[in-house]
C-alpha cells in the first residue's frame, strides 16, 4: 500500500484533468464501503470527506456489529437477515476489530424468559451458517456469575445470546486503507462545494476545496455518489434547490463509565425501557459503554451535544439494573451521534418506527444518494451503491468482490490484552517505531496506555491531520475518558508538529480547538 501523506497526495494537474468513474462524497461507513467496493472492481475512484474519516455518525455508534434484535421484534425480518449475514462477513474479513460478544438479558418477570427465548432462537436461525452461537437460558445463579454487579432483587434468571462488537472509527480507517490498497484516492478535509452539470443538465463532476490549503478544484466524474449521512440533503439541494428533505436526524447518546459498575466480560441488554427503547451496557476498551437514546432533532452538526434529558434517561435506566448506581459525576465521557434515518412517508414522529434499511435514490441529473442503513450493513450498502453506479454511469459491469475481501490489517485471533491489537497486521511496524526514537515507546500520559509512537504512526500511515483525529478516532481516548484526553492534547500536538513540521502557533491552535470540542464530552 502507498503510505498516505496528505502533503504529497494533493490532487495533481493530471488528477484534475482525469475523469473519475466514481466521485464519492462522504467518508463515513457508507462512503468508505462504496470506495472499497468500487476500487476493488477496478473503477477509478475518488472519495472526498469534508472533515476527517468517520468524524460524524460513523465514530459514535454503540460499537455493535449486530443483526438488530429490536428490528426482529418490529417484524423487519429482511433487515435482520441481511444484517446477520453482514455481521458474519465482518467477523471473517476484519477479525482484528470485530469479535463475538456474549449478551445477557436479565429476566425479572415469569413470562419474559419464554418470550425472549423464542425471539432469540429465531434470531439464531436467521443467521444460518454465519451464526455466532445459540441462545440459551441461564439460571438466576449463573446470570449473577456472568454479570457481577447486576441487581439481584426480583431476578429470576437470564438469557444469553451472541452478537458482534467492534471499534467503529478504527474500522473506518482500515476501510480507507483498504480502498487505497485497491487503487482509490481518498482525501480528508476536502469539502465539496458544488455540483457540475453538462449542457444536458446531467452531472459531470464536483467543485471542491482543500480545507487545509484553501485551494479549489473542479473534478470530473462519470458518477457522483452522495454518501454524506445526515448531510445528504445539503448535497441534494446543490442538485435541486426545491428538493424536499430525505433525512430525519435522530440523536443517540452514550455514556462511558468505569468497569467497576459492571465488572463482567459479558454485555447487558435491557430489551424494553420505560419508553420502549433498548439499552446496552457493553465492556469496551477497559470501560463500560451504556446507550443509547433515540431523540428526534431538527438540525445537523458534526459535533452534536447530549441533552440533559438523554443523560438522565440513561443513568436512571442503568440505575434500575445495577447494584452500583451511576451518577453524573461517574461519567468519564458522554458522546452524541446523529442517525441518518430516511424520513417516514406516513407522518410518524417516532424515530424508533423509522426503518433502518438503506435507500438508494437517483435524481434526474444522475446524482446517486444512499441513505439510512447501519454500520453492520456498510458492505452491502456499498455493493448496492456501486451496482447502481454501473447502471447510471454506463460503466463496464464488473462483479462485486467485497464479501471475501480482507480488510486492511486483518489477522486472526488477535491478543486483545495487548493495547496495540487494534493495529492488527501493522502491530510489528508500530513497535519498530520505538527503535527509531526511544522516547516514542513511552506513554503520552501515565493515565492511558497510548504511546508517543502511535501518534507518529497515525500521522504517517493513518491520515491523521489534527489532535482531534488522534484522540477521538485513531485512538479512542476522547470517547473513553474526556478529561484524560484533554490532559494529553498538548503532548499530542507537540508530537504531530514535529512530524508534520508545523510551528508553535499551529500547536497552540490545535490544543485550543481540541479543548473546545472536548468540553462537550465532559459532564459538569
Amino acid at each position: 500500500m502507498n503510505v498516505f501523506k496528505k502533503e504529497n497526495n494533493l490532487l495533481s494537474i493530471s488528477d484534475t484533468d482525469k475523469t473519475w468513474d466514481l466521485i464519492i462524497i462522504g467518508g463515513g461507513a457508507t462512503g468508505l464501503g462504496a470506495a472499497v467496493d468500487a476500487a476493488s472492481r477496478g473503477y477509478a475512484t475518488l472519495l472526498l470527506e469534508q472533515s476527517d474519516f468517520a468524524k460524524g455518525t460513523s465514530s459514535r455508534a454503540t460499537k455493535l456489529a449486530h443483526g438488530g434484535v429490536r428490528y426482529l421484534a418490529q417484524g423487519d425480518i429482511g433487515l435482520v437477515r441481511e444484517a446477520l449475514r453482514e455481521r458474519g462477513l465482518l467477523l471473517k474479513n476484519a477479525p482484528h476489530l470485530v469479535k463475538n460478544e456474549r449478551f445477557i438479558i436479565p429476566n425479572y418477570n415469569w413470562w419474559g424468559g419464554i418470550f425472549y427465548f423464542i425471539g432469540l432462537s429465531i434470531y439464531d436461525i436467521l443467521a444460518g451458517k454465519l451464526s455466532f452461537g445459540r441462545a440459551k437460558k441461564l439460571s438466576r445463579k449463573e446470570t449473577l456469575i456472568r454479570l457481577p454487579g447486576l441487581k439481584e432483587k426480583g431476578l429470576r434468571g437470564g438469557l444469553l445470546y451472541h452478537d458482534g462488537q467492534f471499534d467503529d472509527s478504527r474500522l473506518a480507517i482500515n476501510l480507507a486503507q483498504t480502498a487505497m490498497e485497491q487503487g482509490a484516492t481518498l482525501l480528508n478535509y476536502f469539502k465539496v462545494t458544488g455540483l457540475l452539470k453538462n449542457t444536458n443538465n446531467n452531472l459531470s463532476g464536483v467543485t471542491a476545496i482543500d480545507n487545509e490549503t484553501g485551494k479549489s478544484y473542479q473534478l470530473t466524474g462519470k458518477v457522483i455518489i452522495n454518501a454524506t449521512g445526515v448531510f445528504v440533503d445539503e448535497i441534494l439541494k446543490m442538485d435541486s434547490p426545491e428538493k424536499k428533505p430525505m433525512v430525519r436526524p435522530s440523536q443517540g447518546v452514550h455514556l462511558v463509565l468505569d468497569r467497576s459498575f459492571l465488572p463482567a466480560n459479558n454485555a447487558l441488554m435491557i430489551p424494553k425501557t420505560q419508553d420502549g427503547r433498548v439499552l446496552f451496557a457493553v465492556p469496551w476498551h477497559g470501560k463500560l459503554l451504556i446507550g443509547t437514546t433515540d431523540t428526534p432533532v431538527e438540525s445537523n452538526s458534526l459535533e452534536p451535544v447530549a441533552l440533559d434529558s438523554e443523560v438522565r434517561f440513561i443513568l436512571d435506566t442503568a440505575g434500575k439494573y445495577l447494584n452500583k448506581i451511576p451518577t453524573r459525576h461517574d461519567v468519564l465521557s458522554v458522546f452524541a451521534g446523529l442517525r441518518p434515518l430516511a424520513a417516514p412517508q406516513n407522518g410518524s414522529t417516532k424515530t424508533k418506527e423509522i426503518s433502518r434499511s438503506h435507500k438508494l435514490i437517483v435524481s434526474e441529473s444522475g446524482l446517486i444518494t444512499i441513505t439510512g442503513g447501519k454500520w453492520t450493513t456498510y458492505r452491502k450498502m456499498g455493493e448496492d451503491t456501486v451496482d447502481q453506479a454501473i447502471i447510471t454511469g454506463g460503466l463496464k459491469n464488473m462483479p462485486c468482490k467485497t464479501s471475501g475481501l480482507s480488510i486492511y490489517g486483518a489477522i486472526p485471533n488477535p491478543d486483545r490484552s495487548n493495547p496495540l491489537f487494534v493495529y492488527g497486521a501493522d502491530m510489528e511496524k508500530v513497535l519498530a517505531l520505538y527503535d527509531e526514537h526511544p522516547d516514542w515507546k513511552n506513554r503520552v500520559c501515565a493515565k492511558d496506555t497510548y504511546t508517543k509512537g502511535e501518534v507518529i504512526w497515525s500521522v504517517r500511515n493513518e491520515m491523521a491531520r489534527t489532535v482531534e483525529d488522534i484522540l477521538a478516532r485513531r485512538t479512542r481516548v476522547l470517547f473513553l475518558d474526556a478529561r484524560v484526553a484533554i490532559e494529553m492534547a498538548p503532548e499530542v500536538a507537540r508530537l504531530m508538529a514535529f512530524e508534520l513540521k508545523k510551528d508553535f502557533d499551529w500547536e497552540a491552535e490545535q490544543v485550543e480547538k481540541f479543548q473546545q470540542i472536548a468540553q462537550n464530552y465532559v459532564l459538569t
Side-chain angles (χ1 to χ4, degrees), residues 274-459:
Q274 182 176 323
D275 62 354
R277 290 184 269 209
V278 171
L279 200 74
F280 293 96
V282 185
W284 187 61
H285 288 314
K287 301 292 193 294
L288 183 68
L289 177 71
I290 304 181
T292 183
T293 58
D294 202 352
T295 307
V297 293
E298 296 298 324
S299 60
N300 299 328
S301 171
L302 281 171
E303 279 295 338
V305 178
L307 303 174
D308 284 341
S309 58
E310 293 176 300
V311 173
R312 288 197 304 272
F313 166 77
I314 294 174
L315 289 173
D316 290 347
T317 304
K320 294 176 182 178
Y321 289 84
L322 303 178
N323 284 327
K324 186 178 177 181
I325 298 176
T327 68
R328 291 177 65 91
H329 298 293
D330 298 310
V331 176
L332 300 175
S333 184
V334 54
F335 61 92
L338 300 180
R339 304 178 187 90
L341 303 184
Q345 304 302 311
N346 59 5
S348 174
T349 60
K350 296 181 179 180
T351 54
K352 66 183 181 181
E353 294 179 0
I354 301 175
S355 174
R356 265 50 172 182
S357 297
H358 61 275
K359 295 183 179 180
L360 273 169
I361 306 293
V362 184
S363 73
E364 291 184 5
S365 67
L367 176 66
I368 298 176
T369 296
I370 174 76
T371 188
K374 52 207 289 287
W375 237 122
T376 310
T377 58
Y378 87 89
R379 190 210 63 83
K380 185 63 167 64
M381 293 170 70
E383 178 182 353
D384 290 350
T385 302
V386 177
D387 284 346
Q388 181 60 59
I390 293 170
I391 298 171
T392 301
L395 306 178
K396 182 180 179 181
N397 193 351
M398 302 296 289
C400 176
K401 300 178 180 179
T402 54
S403 63
L405 181 67
S406 290
I407 302 304
Y408 181 88
I411 55 170
N413 304 314
D415 178 8
R416 296 180 182 274
S417 66
N418 186 332
L420 298 179
F421 82 87
V422 295
Y423 298 103
D426 279 339
M427 188 187 307
E428 293 301 320
K429 297 176 185 176
V430 176
L431 291 172
L433 279 178
Y434 302 164
D435 296 328
E436 181 178 331
H437 198 302
D439 183 49
W440 290 351
K441 68 181 178 182
N442 295 321
R443 296 182 180 186
V444 174
C445 171
K447 298 177 183 177
D448 191 87
T449 60
Y450 192 60
T451 66
K452 297 178 182 181
E454 290 175 80
V455 178
I456 304 299
W457 173 264
S458 293
V459 173

Side-chain angles (χ1 to χ4, degrees), residues 23 25-26 48 50 190-197 201-209 224-228 231-245 363-367 369:
I23 297 178
I25 311 171
L48 304 175
Q50 66 172 328
F190 222 92
K191 182 179 176 62
V192 169
T193 55
L195 301 177
L196 301 174
K197 296 184 179 181
N201 206 36
N202 293 323
L203 286 183
S204 59
V206 303
T207 58
I209 184 170
I224 312 301
I225 295 171
N226 177 12
T228 54
F231 298 100
V232 295
D233 288 324
E234 294 183 13
I235 305 299
L236 285 167
K237 290 285 187 184
M238 293 179 187
D239 180 47
S240 179
E242 70 280 1
K243 181 72 177 178
K244 292 182 179 180
S363 73
E364 291 184 5
S365 67
L367 176 66
T369 296

